[in-house]
């Protein structure tokens, strides 16, 4: 029988997110690392929460698969233990904090964005882009979110695309270096360069040093949109979670630059949340497109068919799509320069 229950799930979706975000803000999952158990009675001492709020929070987190019952208390679920404990290689809390602090309230006005076709998280009249801000804390939160989303996505990409034959990777708009860190760790013969804005390169340098890869990963300050050409000397060029930020014309120009920068036999990789060709889903890609309405001037999510068309027009051949499951991408579209 058809019921409105799925609609109720949509209506209350924000309850799940805000519960999750509150638990991350309290650093609940880091406190429970290593199999530690916390009871509701312990919560006031540990978290500063009275009995009723603690009981409600723990119950809700258990219902969401973030905690599990252990005798009289609660402990991390395997999911939380792997991805929500600070310091773990694939810590995902940065993405949670960013969405809570940066995008949650602007999303309340998404109807305004639909009517006006303007971003809500920044003002194009006063800022060059969403990636430039005078608020250093907000900037750090943004890049930490991108890192926490990208590091596991890079792992999924590395498991799906064989980069062993290649030697030098250029990560265009590479942020704080998550993809090169993960991919160079997986492929010993690979070195990499992160191309991004100067202040972003400073952040990447710190992440790269912490990973012990300063001898194999370099940073190059630049602007891939306004620079006349991309740096040469690389046989793999990566565009990870980049093209959804821009309109079709901008993306075609960037792919033309990518073609010019690569040698014969070079590989371009577009890693994204890909839409289905009929534009009916999947939901993560479609909803990321809505987020691009909130966050960008011309961005949207595209299908692998669209990317394949643009790659072919730029001169790439042997275009193919590989699929995987990760928070930042559900696949990659690859092309080779003949």
């Amino acid at each position: 029988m058809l019921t409105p229950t799925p609609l109720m799930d949509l209506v209350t979706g924000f309850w799940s997110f805000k519960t999750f975000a509150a638990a991350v803000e309290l650093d609940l999952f880091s406190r429970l690392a290593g199999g530690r158990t916390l009871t509701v009675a312990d919560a006031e001492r540990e978290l500063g929460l009275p009995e009723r709020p603690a009981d409600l929070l723990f119950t809700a987190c258990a219902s969401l698969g973030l905690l599990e019952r252990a005798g009289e208390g609660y402990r991390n679920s395997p999911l939380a233990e792997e991805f929500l404990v600070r310091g773990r290689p694939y810590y995902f809390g940065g993405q949670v904090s960013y969405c809570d602090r940066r995008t949650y309230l602007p999303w309340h006005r998404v109807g305004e964005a639909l009517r006006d076709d303007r971003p809500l998280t920044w003002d194009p009249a006063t800022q060059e882009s969403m990636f430039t801000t005078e608020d250093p804390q907000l900037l750090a939160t943004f890049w930490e979110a991108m890192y926490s989303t990208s590091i596991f996505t890079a792992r999924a990409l590395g498991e799906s695309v064989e980069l062993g034959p290649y030697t030098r990777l250029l990560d265009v708009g590479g942020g704080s270096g998550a993809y090169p860190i993960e991919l160079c760790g997986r492929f010993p013969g690979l070195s990499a360069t992160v191309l991004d804005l100067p202040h972003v390169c400073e952040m990447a340098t710190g992440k790269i040093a912490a990973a012990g890869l300063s001898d194999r990963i370099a940073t190059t300050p630049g602007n891939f949109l306004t620079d006349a050409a991309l740096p040469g000397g690389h046989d793999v060029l990566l565009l990870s979670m980049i093209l959804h930020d821009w309109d079709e014309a901008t993306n075609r120009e960037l792919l033309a630059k990518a073609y010019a920068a690569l040698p014969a036999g070079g590989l371009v990789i577009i890693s994204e949340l890909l839409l289905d060709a009929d534009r009916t889903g999947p939901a993560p890609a479609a909803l990321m497109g809505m987020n691009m309405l909130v966050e960008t001037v011309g961005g949207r999510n595209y299908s692998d068919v669209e990317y394949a068309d643009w790659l072919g027009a730029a001169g790439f051949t042997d275009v193919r799509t590989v699929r995987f499951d990760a928070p930042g991408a559900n696949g990659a579209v690859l092309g080779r320069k003949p």
Side-chain angles (χ1 to χ4, degrees):
M1 181 178 68
L2 191 64
T3 78
T5 300
L7 303 181
M8 189 63 178
D9 292 340
L10 291 175
V11 167
T12 59
F14 71 95
W15 296 358
S16 299
F17 170 67
K18 288 300 290 183
T19 296
F20 181 22
V24 169
E25 183 180 348
L26 290 165
D27 212 16
L28 173 61
F29 308 108
S30 297
R31 294 172 185 269
L32 297 179
R36 186 164 179 254
T37 298
L38 193 67
T39 67
V40 169
D42 295 329
E44 186 160 12
R45 181 186 71 254
E46 291 270 344
L47 303 170
L49 302 181
E51 183 275 337
R52 186 175 77 100
D55 177 54
L56 297 175
L57 177 64
F58 290 3
T59 300
C61 285
S63 77
L64 296 173
L66 303 173
L67 297 179
E68 58 187 27
R69 198 67 197 245
E72 294 299 312
Y74 294 84
R75 65 187 174 204
N76 281 343
S77 69
L79 182 68
E81 186 70 16
E82 181 73 13
F83 299 114
L84 296 174
V85 174
R86 290 184 185 276
R88 296 289 167 86
Y90 301 109
Y91 177 67
F92 196 71
Q95 182 66 51
V96 182
S97 297
Y98 173 76
C99 288
D100 191 33
R101 298 173 187 175
R102 162 88 172 186
T103 64
Y104 178 73
L105 287 178
W107 259 87
H108 286 53
R109 297 159 41 223
V110 70
E112 177 184 328
L114 286 167
R115 289 186 294 272
D116 298 342
D117 193 17
R118 284 174 56 86
L120 301 175
T121 56
W122 61 285
D123 184 1
T126 60
Q127 286 180 234
E128 180 182 357
S129 78
M130 64 177 286
F131 304 105
T132 57
T133 175
E134 297 298 321
D135 185 345
Q137 183 177 7
L138 180 59
L139 188 65
T141 300
F142 173 80
W143 288 114
E144 190 60 35
M146 295 304 99
Y147 188 89
S148 66
T149 301
S150 297
I151 191 71
F152 188 87
T153 306
R155 171 179 158 179
L157 176 66
E159 291 172 348
S160 303
V161 177
E162 177 55 55
L163 295 179
Y166 299 93
T167 59
R168 295 209 58 201
L169 178 144
L170 177 66
D171 190 358
V172 179
S176 47
Y179 272 80
I181 288 169
E182 186 68 28
L183 294 174
C184 287
R186 183 176 183 86
F187 298 101
L190 190 67
S191 62
T193 303
V194 174
L195 172 68
D196 217 311
L197 300 172
H199 63 278
V200 181
C201 285
E202 292 178 11
M203 299 179 193
T205 298
K207 290 284 191 184
I208 293 163
L213 288 169
S214 298
D215 59 332
R216 291 173 56 198
I217 305 175
T219 62
T220 296
N223 186 325
F224 61 79
L225 290 180
T226 59
D227 292 349
L230 298 176
H234 304 85
D235 55 1
V236 183
L237 192 147
L238 175 63
L239 296 156
S240 61
M241 296 181 283
I242 294 295
L243 298 189
H244 70 233
D245 287 330
W246 314 102
D247 60 21
E248 178 178 340
T250 302
N251 288 335
R252 285 181 179 271
E253 290 176 9
L254 184 52
L255 291 175
K257 290 182 184 180
Y259 186 88
L262 284 169
L267 180 71
V268 64
I269 303 172
I270 300 171
S271 178
E272 288 279 359
L273 285 168
L274 302 169
L275 281 174
D276 297 335
D278 65 359
R279 306 188 76 78
T280 59
L287 294 173
M288 177 61 82
M290 286 291 292
N291 194 55
M292 292 301 96
L293 180 67
V294 172
E295 289 253 52
T296 72
V297 171
R300 63 173 72 189
N301 279 57
Y302 303 95
S303 69
D304 60 328
V305 174
E306 290 170 287
Y307 287 132
D309 177 59
W310 303 347
L311 287 170
F316 291 98
T317 60
D318 302 328
V319 177
R320 63 188 178 95
T321 300
V322 297
R323 300 284 182 174
F324 49 81
D325 180 23
N330 59 10
V333 185
L334 284 62
R336 184 180 64 84
K337 181 173 178 177

